[in-house]
Amino acid sequence: MSVEPRVNEQIRAREVRLVGPEGEQVGIVPLERALQLAADVDLDLVEVAPMARPPVCKLMDFGKFKYESALKAREARRNQQQTVIKEMKLRPKIDPHDYETKKGHVVRFLKAGDKVKVTIMFRGREQSRPELGFRLLRKLSEEISELGFVEAAPKQDGRNMIMVLAPHRNVKAAATQSREAKADGGASPEGEAVAGLPEVVTADQA
């Protein structure tokens, strides 16, 4: 988490290396002198490099600085590329009711803008009937075609058959806008950007 810099009277050093509002180097001055200069031009004295010796401080409008930083953080979140993969596991001879339930989960994941890894699990003699898995995956892909498309075609992987579905661009954009609206309404714009590391989530069991 980020920690806000010390400002004005919060600064503890006896002297600071002062930088002017336009980035010009003023030099090393006593803290009292730096505070007076800040007051003279109606700006804040902000400690921008606390670990330096002496610490570096800059004259700036701290309120404006925080606002602009919040806008940049929000833009970073908006532009961040997140890869979230949910997983749904099915059996080749799945009960119709169970199929509809799991298809509902796939629909929900796609509407949320997430990719879905669909795994058909074969057991025993089912392994000799791969066409059952292909048929089931084709049926699923056709029934969710308004929301997503087959990004990775079905392929056999040991005892399993795997297919990856991805949301259409407009579906993902709508999901992203919805998340941003919730984030803007429920959190401070000064929060940090979410890390964009791939996430794999197993959402359902056989």
Side-chain angles (χ1 to χ4, degrees):
M1 295 179 62
S2 64
V3 178
E4 284 195 357
R6 297 187 183 98
V7 181
N8 299 326
E9 286 75 16
Q10 296 175 351
I11 300 171
R12 301 168 184 170
R14 293 183 179 181
E15 58 182 17
V16 300
R17 185 178 298 277
L18 185 62
V19 179
E22 302 301 325
E24 66 274 19
Q25 297 291 328
V26 178
I28 298 175
V29 299
L31 176 61
E32 293 77 7
R33 174 61 176 161
L35 289 170
Q36 184 59 54
L37 289 172
D40 290 345
V41 293
D42 197 24
L43 292 175
D44 298 298
L45 183 67
V46 181
E47 190 177 54
V48 294
M51 301 307 292
R53 291 292 178 267
V56 179
C57 295
K58 184 175 181 180
L59 299 176
M60 68 173 73
D61 183 335
F62 189 56
K64 180 180 178 181
F65 170 76
K66 288 179 62 178
Y67 175 73
E68 291 177 348
S69 296
L71 289 182
K72 289 179 181 178
R74 187 182 304 177
E75 188 65 23
R77 290 197 303 270
R78 183 174 291 112
N79 294 333
Q80 193 123 27
Q81 295 298 318
Q82 280 189 302
T83 301
V84 179
I85 302 178
K86 302 296 180 71
E87 183 173 20
M88 184 60 56
K89 296 181 179 180
L90 309 175
R91 293 293 306 281
K93 296 181 180 180
I94 188 172
D95 176 85
H97 175 73
D98 289 342
Y99 170 80
E100 290 299 325
T101 298
K102 295 194 175 188
K103 184 181 76 174
H105 290 315
V106 172
V107 167
R108 177 165 53 87
F109 295 150
L110 292 171
K111 284 183 176 180
D114 300 328
K115 295 182 181 182
V116 185
K117 175 183 175 184
V118 184
T119 302
I120 304 294
M121 300 183 300
F122 296 93
R123 294 178 182 172
R125 296 181 180 179
E126 293 174 347
Q127 295 180 63
S128 63
R129 300 288 306 279
E131 68 275 7
L132 295 177
F134 279 112
R135 194 177 305 154
L136 184 59
L137 292 177
R138 183 172 64 246
K139 176 184 177 182
L140 177 62
S141 63
E142 290 173 351
E143 292 180 352
I144 57 84
S145 60
E146 291 186 1
L147 296 172
F149 62 95
V150 178
E151 184 179 69
K155 67 176 182 179
Q156 197 78 25
D157 182 16
R159 294 185 177 183
N160 299 329
M161 183 175 291
I162 297 171
M163 175 179 72
V164 178
L165 300 171
H168 291 307
R169 185 174 299 179
N170 63 322
V171 174
K172 187 170 184 177
T176 300
Q177 290 177 358
S178 177
R179 283 197 296 266
E180 288 176 355
K182 291 179 180 179
D184 291 343
S188 167
E190 298 169 21
E192 286 71 33
V194 178
L197 295 177
E199 175 188 356
V200 177
V201 181
T202 300
D204 207 47
Q205 294 55 250

